[in-house]
mmCIF file of all heavy atoms in Angstrom:
data_model
loop_
_atom_site.group_PDB
_atom_site.id
_atom_site.type_symbol
_atom_site.label_atom_id
_atom_site.label_comp_id
_atom_site.label_asym_id
_atom_site.label_seq_id
_atom_site.Cartn_x
_atom_site.Cartn_y
_atom_site.Cartn_z
ATOM 1 N N LYS P 1395 6.400 0.492 -8.306
ATOM 2 C CA LYS P 1395 7.710 0.426 -7.653
ATOM 3 C C LYS P 1395 7.777 1.266 -6.372
ATOM 4 O O LYS P 1395 8.848 1.759 -6.002
ATOM 5 C CB LYS P 1395 8.822 0.845 -8.620
ATOM 6 C CG LYS P 1395 9.008 -0.121 -9.779
ATOM 7 C CD LYS P 1395 10.195 0.251 -10.653
ATOM 8 C CE LYS P 1395 10.374 -0.772 -11.776
ATOM 9 N NZ LYS P 1395 11.517 -0.416 -12.657
ATOM 10 N N SER P 1396 6.641 1.411 -5.705
ATOM 11 C CA SER P 1396 6.620 2.159 -4.454
ATOM 12 C C SER P 1396 6.904 1.252 -3.257
ATOM 13 O O SER P 1396 6.818 0.024 -3.357
ATOM 14 C CB SER P 1396 5.265 2.849 -4.272
ATOM 15 O OG SER P 1396 5.073 3.860 -5.241
ATOM 16 N N SER P 1397 7.223 1.867 -2.136
ATOM 17 C CA SER P 1397 7.524 1.124 -0.909
ATOM 18 C C SER P 1397 6.727 1.708 0.248
ATOM 19 O O SER P 1397 6.691 2.935 0.440
ATOM 20 C CB SER P 1397 9.025 1.206 -0.607
ATOM 21 O OG SER P 1397 9.321 0.615 0.643
ATOM 22 N N PHE P 1398 6.072 0.801 1.012
ATOM 23 C CA PHE P 1398 5.299 1.222 2.173
ATOM 24 C C PHE P 1398 5.703 0.359 3.364
ATOM 25 O O PHE P 1398 5.513 -0.862 3.342
ATOM 26 C CB PHE P 1398 3.808 1.077 1.907
ATOM 27 C CG PHE P 1398 3.311 1.862 0.722
ATOM 28 C CD1 PHE P 1398 3.250 1.287 -0.533
ATOM 29 C CD2 PHE P 1398 2.913 3.188 0.868
ATOM 30 C CE1 PHE P 1398 2.806 2.001 -1.629
ATOM 31 C CE2 PHE P 1398 2.467 3.915 -0.220
ATOM 32 C CZ PHE P 1398 2.414 3.327 -1.472
ATOM 33 N N VAL P 1399 6.256 0.974 4.381
ATOM 34 C CA VAL P 1399 6.689 0.257 5.589
ATOM 35 C C VAL P 1399 6.038 0.926 6.796
ATOM 36 O O VAL P 1399 6.125 2.148 6.954
ATOM 37 C CB VAL P 1399 8.231 0.274 5.732
ATOM 38 C CG1 VAL P 1399 8.645 -0.441 7.020
ATOM 39 C CG2 VAL P 1399 8.898 -0.368 4.528
ATOM 40 N N ASP P 1400 5.377 0.118 7.630
ATOM 41 C CA ASP P 1400 4.672 0.660 8.808
ATOM 42 C C ASP P 1400 3.647 1.709 8.379
ATOM 43 O O ASP P 1400 3.690 2.868 8.819
ATOM 44 C CB ASP P 1400 5.668 1.267 9.810
ATOM 45 C CG ASP P 1400 6.578 0.229 10.440
ATOM 46 O OD1 ASP P 1400 6.069 -0.812 10.877
ATOM 47 O OD2 ASP P 1400 7.805 0.457 10.471
ATOM 48 N N VAL P 1401 2.722 1.300 7.513
ATOM 49 C CA VAL P 1401 1.708 2.220 7.001
ATOM 50 C C VAL P 1401 0.313 1.627 7.202
ATOM 51 O O VAL P 1401 0.097 0.428 6.957
ATOM 52 C CB VAL P 1401 1.931 2.529 5.503
ATOM 53 C CG1 VAL P 1401 0.805 3.420 4.963
ATOM 54 C CG2 VAL P 1401 3.284 3.213 5.292
ATOM 55 N N ILE P 1402 -0.629 2.452 7.651
ATOM 56 C CA ILE P 1402 -2.024 2.045 7.787
ATOM 57 C C ILE P 1402 -2.854 2.760 6.728
ATOM 58 O O ILE P 1402 -2.811 3.993 6.607
ATOM 59 C CB ILE P 1402 -2.572 2.385 9.190
ATOM 60 C CG1 ILE P 1402 -1.836 1.573 10.259
ATOM 61 C CG2 ILE P 1402 -4.075 2.102 9.266
ATOM 62 C CD1 ILE P 1402 -2.241 1.930 11.685
ATOM 63 N N PHE P 1403 -3.596 1.958 5.947
ATOM 64 C CA PHE P 1403 -4.555 2.494 4.988
ATOM 65 C C PHE P 1403 -5.949 2.231 5.559
ATOM 66 O O PHE P 1403 -6.362 1.080 5.677
ATOM 67 C CB PHE P 1403 -4.416 1.807 3.629
ATOM 68 C CG PHE P 1403 -3.018 1.831 3.064
ATOM 69 C CD1 PHE P 1403 -2.172 0.736 3.206
ATOM 70 C CD2 PHE P 1403 -2.542 2.946 2.392
ATOM 71 C CE1 PHE P 1403 -0.894 0.745 2.679
ATOM 72 C CE2 PHE P 1403 -1.256 2.972 1.861
ATOM 73 C CZ PHE P 1403 -0.425 1.867 2.001
ATOM 74 N N ARG P 1404 -6.668 3.284 5.912
ATOM 75 C CA ARG P 1404 -7.974 3.112 6.556
ATOM 76 C C ARG P 1404 -9.060 3.835 5.740
ATOM 77 O O ARG P 1404 -8.960 5.021 5.461
ATOM 78 C CB ARG P 1404 -7.945 3.653 7.984
ATOM 79 C CG ARG P 1404 -9.246 3.427 8.753
ATOM 80 C CD ARG P 1404 -9.201 4.010 10.159
ATOM 81 N NE ARG P 1404 -8.248 3.322 11.017
ATOM 82 C CZ ARG P 1404 -7.173 3.898 11.554
ATOM 83 N NH1 ARG P 1404 -6.904 5.169 11.310
ATOM 84 N NH2 ARG P 1404 -6.368 3.201 12.335
ATOM 85 N N ASN P 1405 -10.091 3.067 5.350
ATOM 86 C CA ASN P 1405 -11.207 3.635 4.573
ATOM 87 C C ASN P 1405 -10.725 4.361 3.314
ATOM 88 O O ASN P 1405 -11.193 5.456 2.979
ATOM 89 C CB ASN P 1405 -12.036 4.602 5.426
ATOM 90 C CG ASN P 1405 -12.713 3.904 6.591
ATOM 91 O OD1 ASN P 1405 -13.336 2.869 6.426
ATOM 92 N ND2 ASN P 1405 -12.571 4.480 7.779
ATOM 93 N N CYS P 1406 -9.776 3.750 2.624
ATOM 94 C CA CYS P 1406 -9.236 4.340 1.402
ATOM 95 C C CYS P 1406 -9.732 3.595 0.164
ATOM 96 O O CYS P 1406 -10.072 2.417 0.221
ATOM 97 C CB CYS P 1406 -7.711 4.337 1.430
ATOM 98 S SG CYS P 1406 -6.989 5.469 2.648
ATOM 99 N N ASP P 1407 -9.754 4.294 -0.958
ATOM 100 C CA ASP P 1407 -10.174 3.730 -2.238
ATOM 101 C C ASP P 1407 -9.015 3.863 -3.230
ATOM 102 O O ASP P 1407 -8.624 4.976 -3.595
ATOM 103 C CB ASP P 1407 -11.413 4.476 -2.744
ATOM 104 C CG ASP P 1407 -12.016 3.846 -3.990
ATOM 105 O OD1 ASP P 1407 -11.368 2.983 -4.601
ATOM 106 O OD2 ASP P 1407 -13.146 4.228 -4.351
ATOM 107 N N PHE P 1408 -8.470 2.713 -3.639
ATOM 108 C CA PHE P 1408 -7.372 2.689 -4.608
ATOM 109 C C PHE P 1408 -7.807 2.048 -5.926
ATOM 110 O O PHE P 1408 -6.975 1.547 -6.677
ATOM 111 C CB PHE P 1408 -6.185 1.905 -4.038
ATOM 112 C CG PHE P 1408 -5.496 2.548 -2.878
ATOM 113 C CD1 PHE P 1408 -5.749 2.120 -1.584
ATOM 114 C CD2 PHE P 1408 -4.601 3.585 -3.070
ATOM 115 C CE1 PHE P 1408 -5.111 2.703 -0.501
ATOM 116 C CE2 PHE P 1408 -3.952 4.178 -1.999
ATOM 117 C CZ PHE P 1408 -4.207 3.740 -0.707
ATOM 118 N N SER P 1409 -9.077 2.074 -6.240
ATOM 119 C CA SER P 1409 -9.609 1.343 -7.381
ATOM 120 C C SER P 1409 -8.834 1.642 -8.670
ATOM 121 O O SER P 1409 -8.553 2.795 -8.995
ATOM 122 C CB SER P 1409 -11.083 1.685 -7.576
ATOM 123 O OG SER P 1409 -11.854 1.188 -6.493
ATOM 124 N N ASN P 1410 -8.482 0.541 -9.363
ATOM 125 C CA ASN P 1410 -7.807 0.592 -10.667
ATOM 126 C C ASN P 1410 -6.438 1.261 -10.628
ATOM 127 O O ASN P 1410 -5.925 1.691 -11.665
ATOM 128 C CB ASN P 1410 -8.694 1.293 -11.704
ATOM 129 C CG ASN P 1410 -9.982 0.536 -11.945
ATOM 130 O OD1 ASN P 1410 -9.984 -0.673 -12.089
ATOM 131 N ND2 ASN P 1410 -11.100 1.255 -11.958
ATOM 132 N N SER P 1411 -5.832 1.335 -9.455
ATOM 133 C CA SER P 1411 -4.497 1.925 -9.351
ATOM 134 C C SER P 1411 -3.416 0.868 -9.582
ATOM 135 O O SER P 1411 -3.645 -0.331 -9.428
ATOM 136 C CB SER P 1411 -4.303 2.598 -7.988
ATOM 137 O OG SER P 1411 -5.089 3.767 -7.892
ATOM 138 N N ASN P 1412 -2.236 1.332 -9.938
ATOM 139 C CA ASN P 1412 -1.125 0.463 -10.298
ATOM 140 C C ASN P 1412 -0.092 0.414 -9.174
ATOM 141 O O ASN P 1412 0.530 1.429 -8.850
ATOM 142 C CB ASN P 1412 -0.473 0.981 -11.588
ATOM 143 C CG ASN P 1412 0.761 0.182 -11.986
ATOM 144 O OD1 ASN P 1412 0.955 -0.952 -11.543
ATOM 145 N ND2 ASN P 1412 1.607 0.766 -12.813
ATOM 146 N N PHE P 1413 0.080 -0.775 -8.580
ATOM 147 C CA PHE P 1413 1.102 -1.007 -7.560
ATOM 148 C C PHE P 1413 2.075 -2.091 -8.017
ATOM 149 O O PHE P 1413 2.647 -2.812 -7.202
ATOM 150 C CB PHE P 1413 0.459 -1.437 -6.242
ATOM 151 C CG PHE P 1413 -0.246 -0.341 -5.495
ATOM 152 C CD1 PHE P 1413 -1.587 -0.082 -5.725
ATOM 153 C CD2 PHE P 1413 0.412 0.437 -4.558
ATOM 154 C CE1 PHE P 1413 -2.263 0.919 -5.033
ATOM 155 C CE2 PHE P 1413 -0.252 1.438 -3.856
ATOM 156 C CZ PHE P 1413 -1.579 1.679 -4.096
ATOM 157 N N GLN P 1414 2.273 -2.230 -9.317
ATOM 158 C CA GLN P 1414 3.186 -3.259 -9.798
ATOM 159 C C GLN P 1414 4.580 -3.087 -9.198
ATOM 160 O O GLN P 1414 5.071 -1.976 -9.023
ATOM 161 C CB GLN P 1414 3.301 -3.203 -11.325
ATOM 162 C CG GLN P 1414 2.086 -3.718 -12.070
ATOM 163 C CD GLN P 1414 2.362 -3.893 -13.544
ATOM 164 O OE1 GLN P 1414 3.504 -3.850 -13.993
ATOM 165 N NE2 GLN P 1414 1.306 -4.090 -14.317
ATOM 166 N N ASN P 1415 5.200 -4.240 -8.860
ATOM 167 C CA ASN P 1415 6.578 -4.251 -8.355
ATOM 168 C C ASN P 1415 6.758 -3.386 -7.105
ATOM 169 O O ASN P 1415 7.813 -2.776 -6.906
ATOM 170 C CB ASN P 1415 7.551 -3.779 -9.446
ATOM 171 C CG ASN P 1415 7.463 -4.615 -10.697
ATOM 172 O OD1 ASN P 1415 7.794 -5.793 -10.695
ATOM 173 N ND2 ASN P 1415 6.991 -4.008 -11.785
ATOM 174 N N SER P 1416 5.726 -3.337 -6.266
ATOM 175 C CA SER P 1416 5.801 -2.530 -5.048
ATOM 176 C C SER P 1416 6.087 -3.399 -3.825
ATOM 177 O O SER P 1416 6.035 -4.635 -3.892
ATOM 178 C CB SER P 1416 4.504 -1.737 -4.848
ATOM 179 O OG SER P 1416 4.373 -0.735 -5.834
ATOM 180 N N TYR P 1417 6.358 -2.754 -2.712
ATOM 181 C CA TYR P 1417 6.771 -3.442 -1.483
ATOM 182 C C TYR P 1417 5.930 -2.939 -0.318
ATOM 183 O O TYR P 1417 5.806 -1.729 -0.093
ATOM 184 C CB TYR P 1417 8.258 -3.160 -1.229
ATOM 185 C CG TYR P 1417 8.817 -3.769 0.030
ATOM 186 C CD1 TYR P 1417 9.114 -5.132 0.098
ATOM 187 C CD2 TYR P 1417 9.092 -2.981 1.143
ATOM 188 C CE1 TYR P 1417 9.651 -5.686 1.256
ATOM 189 C CE2 TYR P 1417 9.626 -3.523 2.299
ATOM 190 C CZ TYR P 1417 9.904 -4.881 2.348
ATOM 191 O OH TYR P 1417 10.431 -5.425 3.496
ATOM 192 N N PHE P 1418 5.330 -3.889 0.409
ATOM 193 C CA PHE P 1418 4.535 -3.572 1.598
ATOM 194 C C PHE P 1418 5.071 -4.393 2.771
ATOM 195 O O PHE P 1418 5.123 -5.620 2.697
ATOM 196 C CB PHE P 1418 3.066 -3.923 1.380
ATOM 197 C CG PHE P 1418 2.400 -3.194 0.250
ATOM 198 C CD1 PHE P 1418 2.490 -3.657 -1.053
ATOM 199 C CD2 PHE P 1418 1.673 -2.032 0.494
ATOM 200 C CE1 PHE P 1418 1.874 -2.994 -2.099
ATOM 201 C CE2 PHE P 1418 1.043 -1.352 -0.542
ATOM 202 C CZ PHE P 1418 1.150 -1.834 -1.850
ATOM 203 N N ASN P 1419 5.436 -3.722 3.844
ATOM 204 C CA ASN P 1419 5.942 -4.419 5.030
ATOM 205 C C ASN P 1419 5.313 -3.803 6.271
ATOM 206 O O ASN P 1419 5.377 -2.583 6.466
ATOM 207 C CB ASN P 1419 7.469 -4.307 5.094
ATOM 208 C CG ASN P 1419 8.078 -5.196 6.161
ATOM 209 O OD1 ASN P 1419 7.369 -5.870 6.920
ATOM 210 N ND2 ASN P 1419 9.393 -5.213 6.245
ATOM 211 N N LYS P 1420 4.672 -4.648 7.087
ATOM 212 C CA LYS P 1420 3.959 -4.205 8.287
ATOM 213 C C LYS P 1420 2.937 -3.115 7.941
ATOM 214 O O LYS P 1420 3.001 -1.994 8.448
ATOM 215 C CB LYS P 1420 4.953 -3.720 9.347
ATOM 216 C CG LYS P 1420 5.793 -4.841 9.966
ATOM 217 C CD LYS P 1420 6.757 -4.316 11.006
ATOM 218 C CE LYS P 1420 7.875 -3.539 10.340
ATOM 219 N NZ LYS P 1420 8.854 -3.011 11.333
ATOM 220 N N CYS P 1421 2.011 -3.495 7.070
ATOM 221 C CA CYS P 1421 0.963 -2.572 6.627
ATOM 222 C C CYS P 1421 -0.408 -3.155 6.938
ATOM 223 O O CYS P 1421 -0.569 -4.370 7.074
ATOM 224 C CB CYS P 1421 1.076 -2.313 5.123
ATOM 225 S SG CYS P 1421 2.554 -1.377 4.639
ATOM 226 N N GLU P 1422 -1.402 -2.271 7.041
ATOM 227 C CA GLU P 1422 -2.782 -2.687 7.274
ATOM 228 C C GLU P 1422 -3.705 -2.000 6.282
ATOM 229 O O GLU P 1422 -3.633 -0.777 6.091
ATOM 230 C CB GLU P 1422 -3.221 -2.345 8.697
ATOM 231 C CG GLU P 1422 -2.480 -3.125 9.777
ATOM 232 C CD GLU P 1422 -2.956 -2.792 11.181
ATOM 233 O OE1 GLU P 1422 -3.762 -1.836 11.328
ATOM 234 O OE2 GLU P 1422 -2.528 -3.466 12.131
ATOM 235 N N PHE P 1423 -4.574 -2.802 5.652
ATOM 236 C CA PHE P 1423 -5.659 -2.275 4.828
ATOM 237 C C PHE P 1423 -6.952 -2.510 5.600
ATOM 238 O O PHE P 1423 -7.403 -3.658 5.736
ATOM 239 C CB PHE P 1423 -5.716 -2.989 3.480
ATOM 240 C CG PHE P 1423 -4.563 -2.681 2.562
ATOM 241 C CD1 PHE P 1423 -3.382 -3.416 2.637
ATOM 242 C CD2 PHE P 1423 -4.661 -1.671 1.616
ATOM 243 C CE1 PHE P 1423 -2.318 -3.133 1.783
ATOM 244 C CE2 PHE P 1423 -3.605 -1.387 0.761
ATOM 245 C CZ PHE P 1423 -2.430 -2.127 0.846
#
């Protein structure tokens, strides 16, 4: 249930993490 707006994720590792019911707007992986 997290929210990410205007966020850049660069060279990150989120393996096996839980982002259920989350919101991403204008983001880059």
Side-chain angles (χ1 to χ4, degrees):
K1395 294 185 178 179
S1396 293
S1397 174
F1398 302 92
V1399 178
D1400 294 313
V1401 176
I1402 295 175
F1403 306 98
R1404 184 182 293 117
N1405 296 312
C1406 291
D1407 187 348
F1408 292 101
S1409 293
N1410 297 315
S1411 290
N1412 176 19
F1413 287 90
Q1414 287 191 12
N1415 303 294
S1416 291
Y1417 178 76
F1418 299 85
N1419 190 357
K1420 290 180 289 180
C1421 292
E1422 294 181 352
F1423 291 87

